[in-house]
Amino acid sequence: MPEAVILADGDFPSADVPLQILREARFLCCCDGAAIKAIGQGFAPDAIVGDGDSLPIDIKNQLAHLIHHESEQEDNDLTKATRFCMAKGFKRIAYLGATGKREDHTLGNIFLLPHYVRQYGITPEIYTDHGWFCVINGPTELVTFPGQQISLFNVSCKDVKGDGFKWNPYVYEEFWQGTLNEATGNHLMLSIDGLMLVYRTYLAKKI
């Protein structure tokens, strides 16, 4: 389990895996408007981080002791919440509600993960209703299962080798080139010399 969970204001989780992570969160940090959704679903935030624009005045007053105001506009609320959790010593962070709604927000949030690894040295993962994103750096073994769908997004690798894939990975020059691969067994081996964003599904591909 992650040390902290950050709930963003995208699509609220509905699948078993992200909901279990939310229920078992040791520390729940909500990005502004996500706090309203969390409370409405029976969850209690430990902190609310953002500029406060998305919170009604009655919620602001009721939860004033949990709100940590961030007025700078260079970074989005996800990054502000990340810095807040880091200041509390959390390094393994799961992100929920970071996808859905506007597609540009979804893409931006996903590709913040390699940035967080490089700049902050944390272990971030985004969980959606279908699968999850993580970042690997250097030679890595991943636990999988036959038929699990895998997508690889090359961030900074110049040398890529893999084993256990339906199609052998290589040095992708475009983000789409490493999508829609598949695990053939219970383990994947990736030998890489940089950062790779990896997406894995919860379920095997339906035949």
Side-chain angles (χ1 to χ4, degrees), residues 39-69:
I39 294 168
Q41 294 292 328
F43 298 98
D46 295 294
I48 302 169
V49 177
D51 56 19
D53 290 347
S54 303
L55 296 175
I57 188 64
D58 57 330
I59 295 292
K60 286 184 182 180
N61 293 335
Q62 179 184 350
L63 302 178
H65 61 294
L66 299 179
I67 298 174
H68 301 270
H69 188 76

Side-chain angles (χ1 to χ4, degrees), residues 132 142-148 150 164-165 183-188 200:
W132 77 104
L142 299 174
V143 177
T144 57
F145 53 83
Q148 184 179 33
I150 313 286
F165 293 87
T184 59
N186 295 320
H187 294 86
L188 293 174
R200 286 172 282 175

Side-chain angles (χ1 to χ4, degrees), residues 113-172:
L113 296 190
H115 173 72
Y116 292 162
V117 171
R118 283 185 296 212
Q119 296 297 117
Y120 301 151
I122 64 172
T123 302
E125 295 182 323
I126 286 179
Y127 289 83
T128 76
D129 282 342
H130 306 284
W132 77 104
F133 292 90
C134 70
V135 179
I136 62 173
N137 186 7
T140 304
E141 180 179 1
L142 299 174
V143 177
T144 57
F145 53 83
Q148 184 179 33
Q149 301 298 284
I150 313 286
S151 288
L152 305 175
F153 301 90
N154 184 17
V155 178
S156 61
C157 299
K158 303 298 183 184
D159 183 47
V160 175
K161 296 181 180 64
D163 185 58
F165 293 87
K166 187 172 183 179
W167 295 281
N168 289 330
Y170 56 94
V171 180
Y172 308 117

